[in-house]
Amino acid sequence: MAKKMRQQARKRKAQKGVAIYHDMKIYENFERSARRIFECLKAAERNSPGAPRFLFIDVQGHRNEAGGYDHDAFELINEFALGFLGDYLTEISTPLYRARNPGKQRNDIPDILRIGHPDDGSKYGYDAGSLGVQPRETEPASRKTAPTVRAIADYLGLEEAACLVCWRKTVERAHVVPTALGGSMDVRNFALLCPDHHAEAPDVADAESFWAWIDYAELRDSPDKWVDAPDEVKALLRRHNVRIGKGSREPLSFFSAVKEELKALYGWTDGDFGAVAWPDLMDEFHRVLDAATGRHFSIDKKVSTYAWAYDIALRRVKGEADRVIRDAP
């Protein structure tokens, strides 16, 4: 499906229009995907004012219990693409339908995308007040053993099993919500990660926070994807000023690394570090750590797990239990 959509996008581009292609990755929720598509839409109008715009959306994973698309994917396709963006596009192609604008494409694209959530009881963020388990799958399969790597790759929409962060082919099955915290053996509760990124990934009770970390790590470590690429691909990337390999970085202390992740992933500012009394924050931090995090590979401290616990603790102290996780940049 993804290959076919890319071919269609190239054809539309050849027709003197602008093709916008977005592959909704398993780790992207509705908010992240919508904002990224919106920025592409604005860039298309900025760079090619008034040109016909063709949007192509593909989806990896994001399946519900019945095998259809889950809430995030359906909302992106049906309500955002068709309902909101439709007026600003000439044509939309998705796995569910292809629709052409019956009128004239509008070019007065809003400067800011504002996303609100309906007051219908739906859960849009981890409930920091209860510290309960929040999986992505609401009715997990009752299987007792882990699915195969191939089954997980098929669910994730991968032709080959590879790490979701760095694309390396040596992979491990990573639980999204650990079984020790109540995570299931459902294929939707698994990711494929290389040993290094598996050891880095958070062990927390919130599935969406796990996927948000994957999204953040994939962007952070993107230069490493090309380390094992063929020489001709590397030469092409260098001609386009694409960095290959992260290079050497001065190692950070543990808490400096936690602070960096709090800023980059959870949107903390310097003011957040002094927003509440340190003893109060530490009391809540340890409650969160004990009640809603796990310990994987016998690692006592993980930067990603500690960063999540600090963010939840701050929300509890400030009374912001229902705040939706902030997007990685």
Side-chain angles (χ1 to χ4, degrees):
M1 176 65 75
K3 183 177 180 181
K4 182 179 179 181
M5 281 197 166
R6 285 194 294 269
Q7 291 172 342
Q8 291 174 341
R10 283 193 290 270
K11 288 180 182 178
R12 288 301 187 191
K13 188 175 180 180
Q15 296 175 11
K16 297 184 179 179
V18 178
I20 301 170
Y21 176 77
H22 184 79
D23 190 2
M24 186 185 193
K25 303 292 194 298
I26 182 66
Y27 45 77
E28 290 181 302
N29 61 5
F30 166 76
E31 288 81 6
R32 283 190 287 277
S33 291
R35 288 192 176 99
R36 287 165 181 170
I37 293 172
F38 183 73
E39 289 305 316
C40 289
L41 182 71
K42 290 203 301 181
E45 172 60 19
R46 185 169 57 250
N47 297 328
S48 303
R53 291 183 288 271
F54 305 91
L55 174 63
F56 298 83
I57 295 178
D58 200 8
V59 179
Q60 293 183 4
H62 285 286
R63 296 288 178 172
N64 60 22
E65 292 79 11
Y69 287 116
D70 67 11
H71 183 275
D72 276 354
F74 188 78
E75 187 176 13
L76 185 76
I77 292 171
N78 196 54
E79 298 179 30
F80 180 69
L82 184 63
F84 175 72
L85 294 184
D87 288 344
Y88 305 103
L89 298 162
T90 293
E91 190 172 288
I92 300 171
S93 296
T94 75
L96 293 179
Y97 56 75
R98 182 173 174 178
R100 192 168 183 86
N101 189 339
K104 186 178 180 181
Q105 173 184 285
R106 290 177 55 180
N107 299 311
D108 56 336
I109 301 169
D111 291 332
I112 299 173
L113 176 66
R114 300 188 186 281
I115 297 176
H117 300 295
D119 187 16
D120 60 1
S122 302
K123 292 184 177 180
Y124 290 95
Y126 182 74
D127 183 0
S130 70
L131 295 182
V133 175
Q134 183 149 316
R136 177 175 278 185
E137 77 285 1
T138 55
E139 296 180 15
S142 58
R143 62 177 298 139
K144 302 299 183 184
T145 58
T148 65
V149 168
R150 183 64 259 168
I152 298 170
D154 288 342
Y155 170 71
L156 297 175
L158 303 175
E159 294 181 7
E160 292 184 82
C163 176
L164 289 171
V165 174
C166 65
W167 297 356
R168 288 189 170 86
K169 300 298 175 62
T170 300
V171 295
E172 297 174 349
R173 294 172 291 187
H175 279 92
V176 176
V177 175
T179 53
L181 294 175
S184 74
M185 290 294 181
D186 192 297
V187 69
R188 293 166 294 168
N189 192 45
F190 282 88
L192 294 179
L193 298 173
C194 69
D196 288 344
H197 285 114
H198 192 182
E200 276 190 70
D203 300 319
V204 299
D206 179 25
E208 290 304 335
S209 292
F210 174 94
W211 290 119
W213 183 88
I214 296 293
D215 189 38
Y216 155 76
E218 191 266 344
L219 292 170
R220 181 196 65 187
D221 297 347
S222 58
D224 272 2
K225 294 176 180 177
W226 312 111
V227 169
D228 298 325
D231 289 340
E232 59 270 21
V233 174
K234 290 181 179 178
L236 174 66
L237 293 170
R238 290 191 179 101
R239 286 199 297 272
H240 288 83
N241 299 315
V242 176
R243 190 156 58 95
I244 299 172
K246 288 185 296 183
S248 59
R249 293 188 303 178
E250 186 175 340
L252 297 173
S253 68
F254 179 80
F255 282 104
S256 293
V258 171
K259 184 176 181 179
E260 184 177 90
E261 191 157 307
L262 283 168
K263 288 183 172 182
L265 176 56
Y266 297 102
W268 278 37
T269 65
D270 288 336
D272 284 317
F273 292 94
V276 297
W278 182 250
D280 293 339
L281 180 63
M282 288 306 296
D283 281 348
E284 287 300 332
F285 167 76
H286 284 289
R287 289 191 186 96
V288 174
L289 207 63
D290 292 342
T293 71
R295 185 178 298 173
H296 215 163
F297 303 107
S298 299
I299 299 174
D300 286 332
K301 296 192 299 184
K302 270 191 181 184
V303 169
S304 59
T305 300
Y306 268 49
W308 181 82
Y310 273 117
D311 188 57
I312 299 300
L314 181 65
R315 288 163 56 181
R316 286 170 63 87
V317 174
K318 294 174 68 175
E320 300 176 0
D322 295 328
R323 191 184 74 196
V324 177
I325 184 171
R326 297 162 177 169
D327 294 343

